[in-house]
Amino acid sequence: MSCTLADCCSSIDYGFTQSSSDEAVGPHFLRITDIDSESIDWDSVPYCEASLEESNRYSLSSGDIVVARTGASTGNSRYIDSPGGAVFASYLVRLKPRPGVNSRYLSYVLKSARWKHYVSSIANSKSAQPNMSASAMGGFSFNIHLLSEQQAIAEVLGALDDKIAANRKLITTTLDLVQALHDQLSGSGEVTSTLYTNVAEVGGGATPKTRVPEYWDGNIRWASPTDITALEAPYLHDTSRHITQTGLDSCSSPLYPAGSILMTSRATIGAFAVAQEPTAVNQGFIVLIPKREELRWWLLHDMTGRVKEFENRANGATFLELSKRVFRTMEFNLPPEVQLRRFDESACALHEHAISLGQESQTLASLRDTLLPALMDGTIRVKDAETHVEEVL
């Protein structure tokens, strides 16, 4: 049966125009940037001032769906679960599904190729800045399943997303534990101060000329800061762009070995990843190659805890940048050898666990993205999809 998005919703509403605050001055204030990743990290969502009337009008409830209505992420959506009284910002649109429509099923409809094609045809048709009105969203037409089928599809795909979310929480807990171990040792009073350059090679990167086709689309990973800021855990397996050997030879970036620590050093300062494969980088990085294996995780967690200090040491007229020259003068705390080895033993095991969880989540996400269109167009039965899901969960 064909219907429109407006048919499926009791309301489609614009959000709240207000300034965000890092201080807890009111409810959480959900913005476009907060729905860019796979799930909403409510701990990182800012706050805003709002009267009781405004809070009630713009509040989010479990089962709501929010959709970005402007910018490069126009059409991106997120299913809301346990928002805790949050409100949503004006560049988002809130959908409230009607009774008789499974809200999680509807959220998967808004991940479909049909929705993405519709968004592209609307959002890019009127101005250079992509945008889409609430009424245009409501005009989206699709074939809706019976309620029993909606629930079954939502349960199958939701089981995968729930496991991915659980893995994400475990990864966060694991990283927090390693950071706590580091901080405990670093503040023990038994440390010695030394320069980063005494324990690691410190380098940077460069960009091959973009107008030379022979430099691009090869098999060499080439990282930009957006590759790092998009990560949910500090492990870089691949990059969005690749270069050729000729492109690498043409620029001043080395091919850094697996295990190198990548830190973004301009604009966004202090996003981190450990390269899981040999990787070149652009000029927006400071890269450390530890001189000893047991220093890798200590260095990563030392730097992770010093982002504010790095930002304070940065300068620049157009955008802030922490230069390699300044970084090379900075000291950090190193524990006694016995404690360093004990830390490394624990950190290695915990990071290997986190990497394994992340790889499992990538497998689950790939299966979800394969099943979604097949379930929506009926090329696979729900029972068959359930069998595939049971095999991986």
PDB file of all heavy atoms in Angstrom, residues 169-185:
ATOM      1  N   LYS A 169      29.062   0.972  23.584  1.00  0.00           N
ATOM      2  CA  LYS A 169      29.168   1.276  25.018  1.00  0.00           C
ATOM      3  C   LYS A 169      30.317   0.515  25.657  1.00  0.00           C
ATOM      4  O   LYS A 169      31.048   1.060  26.505  1.00  0.00           O
ATOM      5  CB  LYS A 169      27.849   0.939  25.715  1.00  0.00           C
ATOM      6  CG  LYS A 169      26.703   1.876  25.364  1.00  0.00           C
ATOM      7  CD  LYS A 169      25.421   1.499  26.109  1.00  0.00           C
ATOM      8  CE  LYS A 169      24.295   2.452  25.764  1.00  0.00           C
ATOM      9  NZ  LYS A 169      23.028   2.080  26.466  1.00  0.00           N
ATOM     10  N   LEU A 170      30.505  -0.748  25.249  1.00  0.00           N
ATOM     11  CA  LEU A 170      31.607  -1.535  25.782  1.00  0.00           C
ATOM     12  C   LEU A 170      32.952  -0.949  25.374  1.00  0.00           C
ATOM     13  O   LEU A 170      33.905  -0.928  26.169  1.00  0.00           O
ATOM     14  CB  LEU A 170      31.494  -2.983  25.298  1.00  0.00           C
ATOM     15  CG  LEU A 170      30.448  -3.854  25.989  1.00  0.00           C
ATOM     16  CD1 LEU A 170      30.337  -5.202  25.283  1.00  0.00           C
ATOM     17  CD2 LEU A 170      30.812  -4.066  27.458  1.00  0.00           C
ATOM     18  N   ILE A 171      33.042  -0.470  24.133  1.00  0.00           N
ATOM     19  CA  ILE A 171      34.285   0.152  23.669  1.00  0.00           C
ATOM     20  C   ILE A 171      34.585   1.405  24.487  1.00  0.00           C
ATOM     21  O   ILE A 171      35.722   1.620  24.927  1.00  0.00           O
ATOM     22  CB  ILE A 171      34.189   0.491  22.165  1.00  0.00           C
ATOM     23  CG1 ILE A 171      34.185  -0.796  21.335  1.00  0.00           C
ATOM     24  CG2 ILE A 171      35.352   1.390  21.735  1.00  0.00           C
ATOM     25  CD1 ILE A 171      33.867  -0.577  19.870  1.00  0.00           C
ATOM     26  N   THR A 172      33.566   2.230  24.704  1.00  0.00           N
ATOM     27  CA  THR A 172      33.748   3.444  25.500  1.00  0.00           C
ATOM     28  C   THR A 172      34.205   3.113  26.917  1.00  0.00           C
ATOM     29  O   THR A 172      35.136   3.728  27.453  1.00  0.00           O
ATOM     30  CB  THR A 172      32.441   4.252  25.554  1.00  0.00           C
ATOM     31  OG1 THR A 172      32.077   4.639  24.226  1.00  0.00           O
ATOM     32  CG2 THR A 172      32.605   5.499  26.407  1.00  0.00           C
ATOM     33  N   THR A 173      33.571   2.115  27.526  1.00  0.00           N
ATOM     34  CA  THR A 173      33.957   1.701  28.874  1.00  0.00           C
ATOM     35  C   THR A 173      35.392   1.187  28.903  1.00  0.00           C
ATOM     36  O   THR A 173      36.160   1.487  29.827  1.00  0.00           O
ATOM     37  CB  THR A 173      33.004   0.603  29.387  1.00  0.00           C
ATOM     38  OG1 THR A 173      31.665   1.112  29.405  1.00  0.00           O
ATOM     39  CG2 THR A 173      33.390   0.145  30.780  1.00  0.00           C
ATOM     40  N   THR A 174      35.757   0.429  27.885  1.00  0.00           N
ATOM     41  CA  THR A 174      37.116  -0.112  27.809  1.00  0.00           C
ATOM     42  C   THR A 174      38.149   1.001  27.695  1.00  0.00           C
ATOM     43  O   THR A 174      39.173   1.005  28.391  1.00  0.00           O
ATOM     44  CB  THR A 174      37.233  -1.057  26.599  1.00  0.00           C
ATOM     45  OG1 THR A 174      36.298  -2.126  26.748  1.00  0.00           O
ATOM     46  CG2 THR A 174      38.635  -1.632  26.484  1.00  0.00           C
ATOM     47  N   LEU A 175      37.893   1.974  26.819  1.00  0.00           N
ATOM     48  CA  LEU A 175      38.827   3.085  26.649  1.00  0.00           C
ATOM     49  C   LEU A 175      38.923   3.927  27.917  1.00  0.00           C
ATOM     50  O   LEU A 175      40.011   4.391  28.288  1.00  0.00           O
ATOM     51  CB  LEU A 175      38.393   3.953  25.465  1.00  0.00           C
ATOM     52  CG  LEU A 175      38.432   3.274  24.087  1.00  0.00           C
ATOM     53  CD1 LEU A 175      37.896   4.214  23.023  1.00  0.00           C
ATOM     54  CD2 LEU A 175      39.836   2.827  23.747  1.00  0.00           C
ATOM     55  N   ASP A 176      37.791   4.127  28.577  1.00  0.00           N
ATOM     56  CA  ASP A 176      37.802   4.880  29.837  1.00  0.00           C
ATOM     57  C   ASP A 176      38.641   4.163  30.893  1.00  0.00           C
ATOM     58  O   ASP A 176      39.340   4.808  31.684  1.00  0.00           O
ATOM     59  CB  ASP A 176      36.375   5.073  30.353  1.00  0.00           C
ATOM     60  CG  ASP A 176      35.578   6.074  29.527  1.00  0.00           C
ATOM     61  OD1 ASP A 176      36.194   6.816  28.742  1.00  0.00           O
ATOM     62  OD2 ASP A 176      34.339   6.099  29.672  1.00  0.00           O
ATOM     63  N   LEU A 177      38.576   2.846  30.901  1.00  0.00           N
ATOM     64  CA  LEU A 177      39.346   2.066  31.876  1.00  0.00           C
ATOM     65  C   LEU A 177      40.848   2.220  31.619  1.00  0.00           C
ATOM     66  O   LEU A 177      41.627   2.430  32.562  1.00  0.00           O
ATOM     67  CB  LEU A 177      38.944   0.596  31.801  1.00  0.00           C
ATOM     68  CG  LEU A 177      39.714  -0.371  32.716  1.00  0.00           C
ATOM     69  CD1 LEU A 177      39.605   0.075  34.173  1.00  0.00           C
ATOM     70  CD2 LEU A 177      39.194  -1.790  32.548  1.00  0.00           C
ATOM     71  N   VAL A 178      41.250   2.125  30.353  1.00  0.00           N
ATOM     72  CA  VAL A 178      42.679   2.298  30.039  1.00  0.00           C
ATOM     73  C   VAL A 178      43.136   3.709  30.409  1.00  0.00           C
ATOM     74  O   VAL A 178      44.224   3.897  30.961  1.00  0.00           O
ATOM     75  CB  VAL A 178      42.959   2.019  28.552  1.00  0.00           C
ATOM     76  CG1 VAL A 178      44.463   2.117  28.276  1.00  0.00           C
ATOM     77  CG2 VAL A 178      42.464   0.649  28.149  1.00  0.00           C
ATOM     78  N   GLN A 179      42.293   4.709  30.102  1.00  0.00           N
ATOM     79  CA  GLN A 179      42.657   6.088  30.434  1.00  0.00           C
ATOM     80  C   GLN A 179      42.802   6.257  31.941  1.00  0.00           C
ATOM     81  O   GLN A 179      43.719   6.943  32.421  1.00  0.00           O
ATOM     82  CB  GLN A 179      41.602   7.057  29.893  1.00  0.00           C
ATOM     83  CG  GLN A 179      41.999   8.527  29.987  1.00  0.00           C
ATOM     84  CD  GLN A 179      43.161   8.886  29.083  1.00  0.00           C
ATOM     85  OE1 GLN A 179      43.189   8.486  27.921  1.00  0.00           O
ATOM     86  NE2 GLN A 179      44.134   9.625  29.606  1.00  0.00           N
ATOM     87  N   ALA A 180      41.928   5.628  32.712  1.00  0.00           N
ATOM     88  CA  ALA A 180      42.005   5.722  34.170  1.00  0.00           C
ATOM     89  C   ALA A 180      43.281   5.075  34.689  1.00  0.00           C
ATOM     90  O   ALA A 180      43.933   5.600  35.611  1.00  0.00           O
ATOM     91  CB  ALA A 180      40.776   5.069  34.805  1.00  0.00           C
ATOM     92  N   LEU A 181      43.668   3.932  34.114  1.00  0.00           N
ATOM     93  CA  LEU A 181      44.921   3.288  34.503  1.00  0.00           C
ATOM     94  C   LEU A 181      46.107   4.197  34.213  1.00  0.00           C
ATOM     95  O   LEU A 181      47.034   4.328  35.028  1.00  0.00           O
ATOM     96  CB  LEU A 181      45.081   1.960  33.762  1.00  0.00           C
ATOM     97  CG  LEU A 181      44.133   0.822  34.145  1.00  0.00           C
ATOM     98  CD1 LEU A 181      44.279  -0.343  33.172  1.00  0.00           C
ATOM     99  CD2 LEU A 181      44.407   0.353  35.571  1.00  0.00           C
ATOM    100  N   HIS A 182      46.088   4.820  33.036  1.00  0.00           N
ATOM    101  CA  HIS A 182      47.163   5.754  32.678  1.00  0.00           C
ATOM    102  C   HIS A 182      47.225   6.918  33.653  1.00  0.00           C
ATOM    103  O   HIS A 182      48.296   7.279  34.165  1.00  0.00           O
ATOM    104  CB  HIS A 182      46.958   6.283  31.256  1.00  0.00           C
ATOM    105  CG  HIS A 182      47.849   7.440  30.928  1.00  0.00           C
ATOM    106  ND1 HIS A 182      47.517   8.746  31.249  1.00  0.00           N
ATOM    107  CD2 HIS A 182      49.080   7.487  30.356  1.00  0.00           C
ATOM    108  CE1 HIS A 182      48.498   9.547  30.873  1.00  0.00           C
ATOM    109  NE2 HIS A 182      49.446   8.820  30.325  1.00  0.00           N
ATOM    110  N   ASP A 183      46.087   7.538  33.915  1.00  0.00           N
ATOM    111  CA  ASP A 183      46.057   8.726  34.766  1.00  0.00           C
ATOM    112  C   ASP A 183      46.503   8.408  36.191  1.00  0.00           C
ATOM    113  O   ASP A 183      47.152   9.224  36.849  1.00  0.00           O
ATOM    114  CB  ASP A 183      44.648   9.332  34.772  1.00  0.00           C
ATOM    115  CG  ASP A 183      44.252   9.872  33.407  1.00  0.00           C
ATOM    116  OD1 ASP A 183      45.132  10.000  32.535  1.00  0.00           O
ATOM    117  OD2 ASP A 183      43.052  10.156  33.206  1.00  0.00           O
ATOM    118  N   GLN A 184      46.152   7.204  36.643  1.00  0.00           N
ATOM    119  CA  GLN A 184      46.564   6.804  37.987  1.00  0.00           C
ATOM    120  C   GLN A 184      48.086   6.696  38.077  1.00  0.00           C
ATOM    121  O   GLN A 184      48.707   7.185  39.031  1.00  0.00           O
ATOM    122  CB  GLN A 184      45.917   5.467  38.349  1.00  0.00           C
ATOM    123  CG  GLN A 184      46.260   4.973  39.755  1.00  0.00           C
ATOM    124  CD  GLN A 184      45.629   3.628  40.056  1.00  0.00           C
ATOM    125  OE1 GLN A 184      45.324   2.864  39.141  1.00  0.00           O
ATOM    126  NE2 GLN A 184      45.426   3.329  41.328  1.00  0.00           N
ATOM    127  N   LEU A 185      48.704   6.076  37.098  1.00  0.00           N
ATOM    128  CA  LEU A 185      50.157   5.939  37.102  1.00  0.00           C
ATOM    129  C   LEU A 185      50.847   7.273  36.856  1.00  0.00           C
ATOM    130  O   LEU A 185      51.865   7.586  37.478  1.00  0.00           O
ATOM    131  CB  LEU A 185      50.593   4.934  36.035  1.00  0.00           C
ATOM    132  CG  LEU A 185      50.325   3.458  36.325  1.00  0.00           C
ATOM    133  CD1 LEU A 185      50.700   2.606  35.119  1.00  0.00           C
ATOM    134  CD2 LEU A 185      51.103   3.011  37.548  1.00  0.00           C
TER     135      LEU A 185
END
